[in-house]
Amino acid sequence: DAGITQSPRHKVTETGTPVTLRCHQTENHRYMYWYRQDPGHGLRLIHYSYGVKDTDKGEVSDGYSVSRSKTEDFLLTLESATSSQTSVYFCAISGGKGENTEAFFGQGTRLTVV
Amino acid sequence: SQQGEEDPQALSIQEGENATMNCSYKTSINNLQWYRQNSGRGLVHLILIRSNEREKHSGRLRVTLDTSKKSSSLLITASRAADTASYFCATDSGGYNKLIFGAGTRLAVHP
């Protein structure tokens, strides 16, 4: 799986609580991404990073924040979880061979907000 | 909004048959990629075709790209039961290798 580890793999949390998902890579890829996958929507980009401390919003960023303090780690935080954030979250990396190249995905984190 | 949209949404075939999936997109692209996802797993990259390419092969996979029609197709020849999965097209058009995915095609290959 291209040296990408997501943690936790499964989490159940209550509405209104903060949640942080972690993505760790050992590939030294420049770019990192967080996507969410919901039935009928494919994968949608939440946030991405193009370097340490360099992040930007994706298509569905409301309610999420990210941080990247080291090349290998990209954190996704739900400040106050809502039921609409129940989803499967995937981290991806890219840019190991430069621009215009493929992405590699982690195994996903299944998050349930009750 | 989704950039790529796959057609059909679901496809059921017998082993040995060919499977064709189509993808349409809306804006100009740097490249278009196809990914496979087995149930409950992460996505696996299959093939990347750049905007200046028209056709690409990889093993039993053949991808075509028509930038004038903003469409692509993925052909899997001589399908196997192990090809059962969801297939997604994704377009890279905005820099930083960001991808926008379609909703996917669910392929079932029956022995």
Side-chain angles (χ1 to χ4, degrees), chain A residues 5 9-12 22 25 28 33 42 46-47 50-51 54 66 68 75 77 79 82 90 92-94 100 113-114:
Chain A
T5 304
R9 293 292 313 279
H10 302 271
K11 186 171 183 65
V12 179
R22 180 178 183 242
Q25 62 149 326
N28 201 35
Y33 316 86
I46 304 171
H47 281 279
Y50 46 95
D54 292 323
V66 290
R68 191 172 179 195
L75 304 180
T77 297
E79 301 291 347
T82 67
F90 287 97
I93 64 175
S94 182
N100 221 1
V113 183
V114 298

Side-chain angles (χ1 to χ4, degrees), chain A residues 41-92:
Chain A
H41 287 280
L43 276 77
R44 291 181 291 175
L45 182 64
I46 304 171
H47 281 279
Y48 65 99
S49 169
Y50 46 95
V52 174
K53 292 189 169 59
D54 292 323
T55 65
D56 204 349
K57 297 178 180 180
E59 182 185 2
V60 289
S61 60
D62 287 348
Y64 303 95
S65 62
V66 290
S67 66
R68 191 172 179 195
S69 59
K70 298 185 290 186
T71 298
E72 56 267 34
D73 290 327
F74 193 33
L75 304 180
L76 175 71
T77 297
L78 290 65
E79 301 291 347
S80 177
T82 67
S83 58
S84 65
Q85 293 176 311
T86 292
S87 187
V88 181
Y89 292 85
F90 287 97
C91 174

Side-chain angles (χ1 to χ4, degrees), chain A residues 1 9 30-31 33 35 37 40-45 48 50 56-57 59 90 94-96 98-108 110, chain B residues 1-3 30-33 35 37 40-45 47-51 86 88 92 94-104:
Chain A
D1 294 323
R9 293 292 313 279
R30 178 182 177 190
Y31 304 128
Y33 316 86
Y35 290 88
Q37 184 176 30
H41 287 280
L43 276 77
R44 291 181 291 175
L45 182 64
Y48 65 99
Y50 46 95
D56 204 349
K57 297 178 180 180
E59 182 185 2
F90 287 97
S94 182
E99 302 298 315
N100 221 1
T101 57
E102 69 269 35
F104 299 93
F105 284 79
Q107 288 300 311
R110 185 173 296 275
Chain B
S1 61
Q2 291 171 198
Q3 166 79 309
N30 299 321
N31 64 70
L32 185 144
Q33 304 177 32
Y35 289 81
Q37 183 180 36
R41 306 294 298 271
L43 278 74
V44 174
H45 174 79
I47 196 164
L48 180 154
I49 185 165
R50 292 184 167 77
S51 59
S86 291
F88 296 90
D92 173 357
Y96 303 120
N97 292 357
K98 290 180 299 177
L99 296 175
I100 299 179
F101 285 82

Side-chain angles (χ1 to χ4, degrees), chain B residues 45-62:
Chain B
H45 174 79
L46 294 176
I47 196 164
L48 180 154
I49 185 165
R50 292 184 167 77
S51 59
N52 60 354
E53 298 175 311
R54 292 297 167 259
E55 187 170 314
K56 205 161 182 180
H57 297 256
S58 177
R60 293 184 295 114
L61 305 180
R62 172 178 168 253

Side-chain angles (χ1 to χ4, degrees), chain B residues 5-66:
Chain B
E5 295 187 4
E6 285 94 339
D7 165 53
Q9 292 186 337
L11 182 60
S12 181
I13 60 174
Q14 298 296 125
E15 260 190 334
E17 295 181 339
N18 295 341
T20 300
M21 288 159 266
N22 302 297
C23 171
S24 60
Y25 58 92
K26 299 174 184 173
T27 66
S28 61
I29 60 174
N30 299 321
N31 64 70
L32 185 144
Q33 304 177 32
W34 287 89
Y35 289 81
R36 184 186 73 226
Q37 183 180 36
N38 290 91
S39 181
R41 306 294 298 271
L43 278 74
V44 174
H45 174 79
L46 294 176
I47 196 164
L48 180 154
I49 185 165
R50 292 184 167 77
S51 59
N52 60 354
E53 298 175 311
R54 292 297 167 259
E55 187 170 314
K56 205 161 182 180
H57 297 256
S58 177
R60 293 184 295 114
L61 305 180
R62 172 178 168 253
V63 169
T64 61
L65 179 65
D66 186 335

